[in-house]
């Protein structure tokens, strides 16, 4: 079992930036592709981005491409999501997720991961 803890969510004005962190309890995650998902009120959970174990491959949803950057520091068992040019429609609870079944090709599908964090709230509003 792996515990994931997200942090960094906040209230920010449109056009602002935030950096989310996802810290894992075990270094095992360094062998896994790790994903970020988000869920807005009344909407389905959607995949935002993912990064392969070596950070050699990254994937972004079209809605965040060019604005969000995913990275990881395996020495700290941590994955980051840098979010720039935030829009009100980015408002959601953001979750990181991973597992031994995680693959870059399916990393934006919630059915392809096993372990979830508790989420961190991001609110974009003036």
């Amino acid at each position: 079992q792996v515990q994931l803890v997200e942090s960094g969510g906040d209230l920010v004005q449109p056009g602002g930036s935030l950096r989310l962190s996802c810290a894992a309890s075990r270094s095992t995650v360094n062998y896994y592709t790790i994903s970020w998902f988000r869920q807005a009120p009344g909407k389905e959970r959607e995949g935002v981005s993912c990064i392969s174990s070596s950070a050699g491959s990254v994937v972004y949803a079209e809605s965040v491409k060019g604005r969000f950057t995913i990275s990881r520091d395996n020495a700290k068992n941590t994955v980051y999501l840098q979010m720039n040019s935030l829009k009100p429609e980015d408002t959601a609870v953001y979750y990181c997720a991973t597992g031994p079944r995680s693959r870059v090709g399916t990393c934006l599908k919630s059915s392809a991961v096993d372990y979830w964090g508790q989420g961190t709230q991001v609110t974009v509003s003036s």
Side-chain angles (χ1 to χ4, degrees):
Q1 188 73 15
V2 174
Q3 278 74 49
L4 302 171
V5 179
E6 303 95 334
S7 61
D10 205 345
L11 170 64
V12 63
Q13 292 186 345
S17 298
L18 282 175
R19 188 177 82 155
L20 305 184
S21 298
C22 170
S25 60
R26 298 178 62 181
S27 60
T28 307
V29 300
N30 295 338
Y31 296 99
Y32 300 161
T33 292
I34 298 180
S35 303
W36 284 98
F37 292 82
R38 67 185 181 185
Q39 188 165 22
K43 295 187 176 181
E44 292 187 357
R45 190 170 296 185
E46 65 168 335
V48 174
S49 182
C50 77
I51 186 167
S52 64
S53 58
S54 65
S57 296
V58 296
V59 175
Y60 296 100
E62 285 298 321
S63 58
V64 305
K65 201 171 288 185
R67 300 187 298 122
F68 290 12
T69 303
I70 192 170
S71 61
R72 67 190 297 164
D73 184 343
N74 285 345
K76 297 181 179 180
N77 303 339
T78 301
V79 173
Y80 305 98
L81 186 67
Q82 178 67 43
M83 307 187 296
N84 298 329
S85 302
L86 283 162
K87 305 175 181 180
E89 51 263 44
D90 295 317
T91 295
V93 178
Y94 284 71
Y95 302 88
C96 62
T98 189
R101 298 183 297 121
S102 298
R103 299 290 185 271
V104 169
T106 56
C107 64
L108 298 188
K109 297 181 179 180
S110 57
S111 61
V113 295
D114 301 293
Y115 309 126
W116 293 85
Q118 84 291 345
T120 185
Q121 176 71 47
V122 172
T123 302
V124 184
S125 175
S126 55

